[in-house]
Amino acid sequence: MENYFSPSLSPDSLHAISSIGLAHMGDAVFELLVRTWLCAHGGATGKGLHRAAVQLVCAESQAQKAERILPLLTEEERAVFRRGRNAHVHTVPSHASRAQYSEATALEALLGWLYLQGRLERIHELFCKMMEEEDHAS
């Protein structure tokens, strides 16, 4: 790969990445999107930005957001989502249920998979759907 800002991995390369690896990438993608969304919506101080970001990226919030986009997913995206949900995670944060953490991991795996393909428009489409409720609240 020549440009790490614009990845475009082959299907074989993507399939070789574990669900946890995809979720690791997707976690960073989601964090960046949330931070960008918060800055674009303004009004928060440094400490407020951090608190707002933590609230939006926690497993409980991600699980709720995952539910909003499930009806929009293609069969291939659903397969990646299921693969992420079935990942064997050994530690679940005390503030989230195992089911919530599994859904959050699935969402992150999907975002990582899309990002590594260079499918930024699809990520944007799904992220906007995830954030609709927050748009109305802000």
Side-chain angles (χ1 to χ4, degrees):
M1 181 173 4
E2 298 199 16
N3 183 343
Y4 291 100
F5 279 117
S6 299
S8 183
L9 271 62
S10 70
D12 287 342
S13 295
L14 280 168
H15 191 68
I17 300 170
S18 70
S19 298
I20 298 299
L22 292 174
H24 179 73
M25 182 77 253
D27 177 58
V29 170
F30 191 69
E31 176 87 21
L32 180 61
L33 289 168
V34 164
R35 287 177 179 221
T36 303
W37 186 87
L38 287 168
C39 286
H41 284 78
T45 63
K47 192 178 220 180
L49 282 170
H50 176 72
R51 285 186 182 140
V54 168
Q55 186 176 1
L56 289 169
V57 301
C58 71
E60 301 94 326
S61 178
Q62 285 185 349
Q64 291 172 342
K65 288 170 181 18
E67 291 300 315
R68 288 186 208 146
I69 65 164
L70 281 176
L72 304 175
L73 300 183
T74 66
E75 277 305 311
E76 188 177 28
E77 290 167 346
R78 286 176 200 256
V80 172
F81 189 90
R82 278 191 303 274
R83 183 177 156 207
R85 187 174 48 213
N86 294 333
H88 296 289
V89 293
H90 300 290
T91 307
V92 176
S94 60
H95 55 81
S97 69
R98 182 165 287 283
Q100 288 171 324
Y101 197 69
S102 292
E103 290 290 302
T105 303
L107 175 63
E108 291 172 347
L110 174 63
L111 293 175
W113 180 77
L114 289 168
Y115 177 77
L116 291 171
Q117 289 181 75
R119 295 183 55 200
L120 303 182
E121 285 300 318
R122 181 59 173 158
I123 293 170
H124 176 74
E125 177 185 348
L126 295 174
F127 183 74
C128 287
K129 181 65 176 175
M130 285 185 254
M131 299 304 285
E132 279 179 358
E133 190 173 292
E134 277 74 17
D135 270 335
H136 300 308
S138 60

